[in-house]
Amino acid sequence: MKQVLILGGGTAGTMVANDLHGRLSSRDWRITVVDANNRHLYQPGLLLLPFGTYQPKDLVRRRDRYLPTGVNYVIGDITHLDAEGQTVDLSTGARLPYDYLVIATGTSPRPDQTPGMDDPGIWRTSAFDFYTLDGALALRDRLAAWDGGRLVVHITEMPIKCPVAPLEFAFLADDFFRRRDMREQVDITFVTPLEGAFTKPVASRHLGSMLDSRRIHLEPDFVVEHVDPETRTLVSMDEREVAFDLLVTVPLNMGADFLAGTGLADELNYVQVDKGTFLARHHDNVFALGDASDIPASKAGSVAHFAVEVFGQNFVDHVEGRPMRAAFDGHANCFIESGNGRGLLIDFNYDTEPLTGVFPWPVVGPMALLKETRTNHWGKLAFRWIYWNLLLRGRPIPIPTHMSMAGKVPAEPAAAAQRS
Ligand SMILES: Cc1cc2nc3c(=O)[nH]c(=O)nc-3n(C[C@H](O)[C@H](O)[C@H](O)COP(=O)(O)OP(=O)(O)OC[C@H]3O[C@@H](n4cnc5c(N)ncnc54)[C@H](O)[C@@H]3O)c2cc1C
């Protein structure tokens, strides 16, 4: 009996377990999933929780309910991986051997990596994250009681998971304070290490003008060096300063600690893999999927979903000695909440940046790309149902695995030139 061990039972790990369970014979294969706990968190909901749209009960479900019967589920903190000896150690003292390993342990915010950021004098009283359930809840309570001042929305360093989430937070904050009739009392600044609002030129222009029209000040090229808890100031490497009364930061994102020193991962603990097949560079029996890998795509649930669709047949081919024929194209598809009951949609891959147009069908849409519509907002809200009921369980959804140009308007020459 061969053992395939899946580390992490989040978005990617759960989808992989469902997919491989349908492909591998239970006579020959034993599939095991390991995770630190039995609580699956719907992370996209953390964006809306601080504004009161969701409660924790809407976002957390038992993890084992989404794993198929016949898949072995082990709860424990992964503390050590020996890629040569093909074993994984848990905090419980258990040692799990494997023939094939799928690493899907995601990425986590690490405020401890920036001096002063998690200082007890400011952390969760005037400096918050919303990428964790505890952080989002603390921020919700602070926002409800806050009487205004300088709100700074901040990205520490790329890559982060859901790279549009901080922008969405800034748009939603603008809307939140308008509705409370206190927008004039709040000064909003968006501080980013990027040179514009987003990574890709066409989307960056659109999103940058949306910041302008909402009177949200953009502070680009800001690489934070430390946070001064006394003066409540972000200080950059080039000695610029941005003062805040309320800081909403996305701390440095890092892969799991047990990956450091395994020879598999880079300095941020992301597993170095082939960007088409997810096979680890130097180990023929190790794959990494989802946020845990170093592929140059967005760290997003949608990317994990399309990646798993490519991975399944490739895995079977690989273990049976055939070449892996399918190659992942980096397809990402993300809704962007813009406030006032509207949202945008972006659809892109390794080679094609987010463009305008309609999605998924030419002419009829019904979603508009890079344009604020109510349909896109409802799409974002509907996604929670799709996540729990279709996506995690590997049931089909009507979006192609590979990005399609159907309905998209090609970039103007100026944007294309800027890109190259
Ligand atoms: C605020 C926010 C908004 C987002 N919005 C969107 C969106 O709109 N659209 C979108 O597509 N994506 C969105 N995302 C991103 C999406 O949630 C992630 O990309 C996705 O969950 C990645 O899946 P994953 O399986 O790689 O990692 P995860 O789902 O994070 O799963 C990793 C799992 O590994 C486990 N683990 C980690 N380390 C260990 C260890 N040492 N021992 C045991 N277990 C361990 C964790 O407990 C976890 O269950 C958002 C994320 C956030 C934070």
Side-chain angles (χ1 to χ4, degrees):
M1 174 86 74
K2 286 210 168 100
Q3 304 270 357
V4 54
L5 187 57
I6 301 171
L7 304 183
T11 310
T14 303
M15 290 190 295
V16 171
N18 279 293
D19 185 273
L20 291 186
H21 182 253
R23 290 178 194 273
L24 302 175
S25 152
S26 57
R27 276 196 321 259
D28 304 328
W29 288 89
R30 184 169 169 79
I31 303 173
T32 300
V33 174
V34 186
D35 203 288
N37 57 56
N38 199 19
R39 294 183 310 280
H40 190 126
L41 173 65
Y42 175 66
Q43 297 177 48
L46 296 176
L47 169 73
L48 296 166
L49 189 141
F51 301 105
T53 310
Y54 291 133
Q55 301 301 317
K57 68 175 172 42
D58 302 321
L59 308 183
V60 182
R61 294 197 180 171
R62 279 180 66 131
R63 208 182 287 288
D64 53 6
R65 277 181 51 193
Y66 293 87
L67 295 171
T69 314
V71 164
N72 186 29
Y73 179 36
V74 177
I75 297 180
D77 258 315
I78 302 155
T79 52
H80 185 69
L81 162 61
D82 177 356
E84 305 303 330
Q86 298 183 197
T87 57
V88 167
D89 293 346
L90 306 186
S91 55
T92 56
R95 171 162 291 183
L96 308 176
Y98 65 85
D99 296 292
Y100 289 91
L101 186 69
V102 179
I103 301 171
T105 37
T107 182
S108 306
R110 296 292 298 268
D112 57 306
Q113 297 292 311
T114 302
M117 186 176 276
D118 65 350
D119 186 284
I122 54 168
W123 190 240
R124 303 262 164 97
T125 48
S126 47
F128 295 82
D129 72 310
F130 63 98
Y131 271 40
T132 58
L133 185 56
D134 287 352
L137 281 167
L139 180 55
R140 176 193 66 183
D141 295 344
R142 187 72 193 100
L143 282 174
W146 200 46
D147 54 10
R150 293 162 300 182
L151 168 65
V152 172
V153 183
H154 169 242
I155 301 173
T156 302
E157 193 176 317
M158 301 302 281
I160 57 170
K161 54 184 153 185
C162 196
V164 290
L167 269 175
E168 294 179 277
F169 189 92
F171 297 147
L172 290 171
D174 166 73
D175 187 42
F176 177 82
F177 294 120
R178 268 178 217 287
R179 284 173 196 274
R180 301 194 135 207
D181 212 11
M182 55 181 286
R183 182 63 182 88
E184 294 308 316
Q185 283 94 273
V186 182
D187 184 38
I188 308 179
T189 303
F190 187 76
V191 179
T192 171
L194 298 172
E195 61 184 38
F198 194 54
T199 44
K200 322 273 174 145
V202 174
S204 193
R205 276 203 309 274
H206 271 74
L207 297 165
S209 70
M210 287 170 62
L211 290 175
D212 283 348
S213 66
R214 287 162 172 78
R215 287 187 296 117
I216 299 171
H217 173 67
L218 176 67
E219 187 71 36
D221 298 316
F222 191 100
V223 182
V224 68
E225 197 271 325
H226 72 277
V227 183
D228 185 336
E230 299 295 322
T231 57
R232 290 191 289 190
T233 307
L234 292 172
V235 182
S236 70
M237 295 284 186
D238 57 1
E239 295 177 1
R240 278 181 286 157
E241 295 191 353
V242 176
F244 60 84
D245 298 304
L246 179 57
L247 174 67
V248 177
T249 185
V250 179
L252 180 71
N253 279 202
M254 284 180 73
D257 279 345
F258 73 85
L259 290 164
T262 55
L264 289 165
D266 64 15
E267 70 283 0
L268 287 175
N269 299 344
Y270 295 127
V271 183
Q272 297 176 300
V273 297
D274 179 278
K275 69 176 191 175
T277 63
F278 315 108
L279 184 63
R281 299 258 167 87
H282 309 297
H283 290 268
D284 205 37
N285 62 343
V286 177
F287 293 84
L289 283 162
D291 296 349
S293 89
D294 76 337
I295 62 169
S298 282
K299 295 194 179 298
S302 62
V303 172
H305 165 69
F306 300 128
V308 170
E309 289 187 339
V310 170
F311 171 75
Q313 185 56 46
N314 270 351
F315 181 80
V316 172
D317 286 339
H318 186 68
V319 300
E320 292 179 357
R322 295 184 296 273
M324 294 188 274
R325 278 164 302 175
F328 182 54
D329 68 345
H331 189 188
N333 178 280
C334 299
F335 288 106
I336 304 175
E337 277 293 279
S338 58
N340 201 17
R342 288 169 193 271
L344 295 82
L345 178 64
I346 51 176
D347 189 67
F348 58 108
N349 69 9
Y350 289 140
D351 302 318
T352 306
E353 64 171 316
L355 298 170
T356 55
V358 289
F359 183 87
W361 295 288
V363 186
V364 291
M367 309 287 178
L369 292 168
L370 266 180
K371 188 172 167 198
E372 288 181 77
T373 67
R374 289 199 185 283
T375 314
N376 287 339
H377 165 70
W378 289 113
K380 175 107 176 175
L381 294 188
F383 192 73
R384 187 169 61 103
W385 187 92
I386 293 171
Y387 183 85
W388 292 123
N389 294 291
L390 304 179
L391 212 82
L392 281 183
R393 297 184 195 276
R395 293 179 181 144
I397 58 169
I399 301 184
T401 305
H402 296 287
M403 196 211 76
S404 160
M405 278 303 287
K408 294 193 173 69
V409 178
E412 294 148 26
Q418 213 177 328
R419 205 170 61 236
S420 57

